[in-house]
Amino acid sequence: MGDLLTTIFVQPLLNLLFLIYGIIPGHDFGLSVIIMTAIIRFALWPLTAKQLHSQKKMQALQPEIAKLKQRAGGDKQKESQLLMELYKEKEISPFSACLPLLLQFPFLIALYFVFQKSTHDAAAIGELLYTPIKNLPYIQSVLQDPSSFSPTLFGLINMAKPSILLAVLAGITQFVQVKMLAPKSKDITVKDPQAQATQMMNYLFPAFTVFIAWNLPAALPLYWTVTNVITISQQYLIMRGEVEEMEEVKIIKKVSADKPKQIAKKSKKGKK
């Protein structure tokens, strides 16, 4: 692990985790992971919102994309040209949904090392802690006696060891998250292999999440689970906002369409 990654990502996250761990009542390590996850997710809210908006727009375009592919008749060059024209017309970048996700990868890598170090090498974390964090009374006691460090969630789940329960929860919440953004089944045609592949990934990705989380320290699937729950809430709020905006647009269009009719009726009455 490079020094740059440690300095920019790992060390700040490790200090944030132990700051929370040192000040919350009960000093529960699992609860500290949950609180830190919530702080990170809300700090990344603008990126997540942008990503969700882009994903939703791309999903809404799937029926039009399917029609364009039919028009292209298998001509990949023509298909690419038509797609670019559609994206330009709708003012959508096909890569805008991926960029915020890529920016979050350093956090995921750093968190892996944070959880690995904090749950397996409590005696060595003092080297990475900032002085104000080291001086917290409870953190001082942990550094002086590493055996007193208990990396558990409510005293029930050891964050340093794999947890089947949290691995499954991570997969379930991942499935709910992707299902919310998935196109409706009526929008997926038999002739659209890309849409079918996307639908298949909606099931494979959560299963892959469970497979990966199965053997990882429980702190990571706990992070994934909390992240998914917060993202589901964000998706609900964003999609509800889009529905309300669409309803407002419909009302405005209806009022605009009714105005000429009202004016015409008034002019007829005036002539009479």
Side-chain angles (χ1 to χ4, degrees):
M1 181 176 54
D3 293 337
L4 185 62
L5 178 64
T6 301
T7 304
I8 296 177
F9 291 102
V10 175
Q11 197 169 6
L13 289 174
L14 185 68
N15 278 270
L16 174 60
L17 176 61
F18 275 82
L19 169 63
I20 298 167
Y21 179 59
I23 63 176
I24 62 171
H27 307 290
D28 188 281
F29 187 78
L31 183 59
S32 302
V33 172
I34 292 173
I35 294 172
M36 186 186 74
T37 304
I39 291 172
I40 292 172
R41 297 315 303 174
F42 284 113
L44 295 175
W45 181 288
L47 286 175
T48 305
K50 185 176 181 180
Q51 179 189 346
L52 292 175
H53 277 299
S54 299
Q55 286 178 335
K56 196 62 183 173
K57 286 180 180 178
M58 289 298 293
Q59 293 290 4
L61 280 181
Q62 290 307 310
E64 293 186 53
I65 291 174
K67 290 177 183 177
L68 288 182
K69 288 181 178 180
Q70 289 180 353
R71 281 175 55 191
D75 187 335
K76 294 298 180 182
Q77 186 174 355
K78 184 179 180 181
E79 182 181 311
S80 299
Q81 183 182 350
L82 290 172
L83 283 174
M84 289 301 105
E85 290 175 359
L86 177 63
Y87 294 145
K88 187 176 180 181
E89 178 190 342
K90 301 295 184 180
E91 298 181 349
I92 295 176
S93 170
F95 306 107
S96 58
C98 301
L99 183 59
L101 190 61
L102 291 174
L103 292 175
Q104 294 179 37
F105 272 118
F107 284 94
L108 292 174
I109 296 170
L111 282 168
Y112 172 78
F113 287 107
V114 166
F115 295 144
Q116 280 285 93
K117 184 169 286 291
S118 60
T119 56
H120 288 91
D121 196 11
I125 60 173
E127 299 174 6
L128 294 175
L129 292 180
Y130 303 139
T131 302
I133 310 300
K134 285 183 184 179
N135 291 336
L136 290 172
Y138 190 77
I139 300 301
Q140 280 185 336
S141 66
V142 169
L143 293 177
Q144 290 169 4
D145 181 16
S147 63
S148 66
F149 177 60
S150 177
T152 62
L153 174 63
F154 305 134
L156 300 174
I157 301 176
N158 191 333
M159 296 286 98
K161 297 180 179 179
S163 168
I164 296 174
L165 174 63
L166 288 176
V168 172
L169 280 176
I172 292 172
T173 52
Q174 184 72 58
F175 176 75
V176 174
Q177 181 192 335
V178 297
K179 197 67 177 175
M180 286 178 70
L181 287 173
K184 304 298 181 184
S185 56
K186 63 181 181 181
D187 295 332
I188 301 174
T189 61
V190 178
K191 297 180 180 180
D192 189 358
Q194 184 176 352
Q196 290 179 325
T198 301
Q199 188 183 40
M200 181 66 68
M201 287 302 296
N202 291 339
Y203 294 94
L204 290 179
F205 191 58
F208 184 68
T209 299
V210 175
F211 176 76
I212 293 295
W214 198 272
N215 294 310
L216 288 176
L220 274 167
L222 176 62
Y223 168 80
W224 274 335
T225 301
V226 177
T227 294
N228 291 338
V229 170
I230 294 174
T231 304
I232 289 167
S233 303
Q234 289 175 321
Q235 287 176 182
Y236 173 76
L237 292 173
I238 289 171
M239 287 191 290
R240 187 181 68 175
E242 287 182 351
V243 170
E244 289 175 354
E245 286 177 9
M246 289 171 63
E247 291 298 326
E248 288 177 4
V249 170
K250 286 180 181 179
I251 292 171
I252 292 170
K253 287 182 177 180
K254 188 176 186 303
V255 170
S256 300
D258 289 344
K259 275 185 179 180
K261 295 178 182 179
Q262 292 172 357
I263 294 170
K265 285 181 180 179
K266 288 180 180 179
S267 61
K268 285 182 182 180
K269 288 180 180 179
K271 288 179 181 180
K272 289 180 180 179

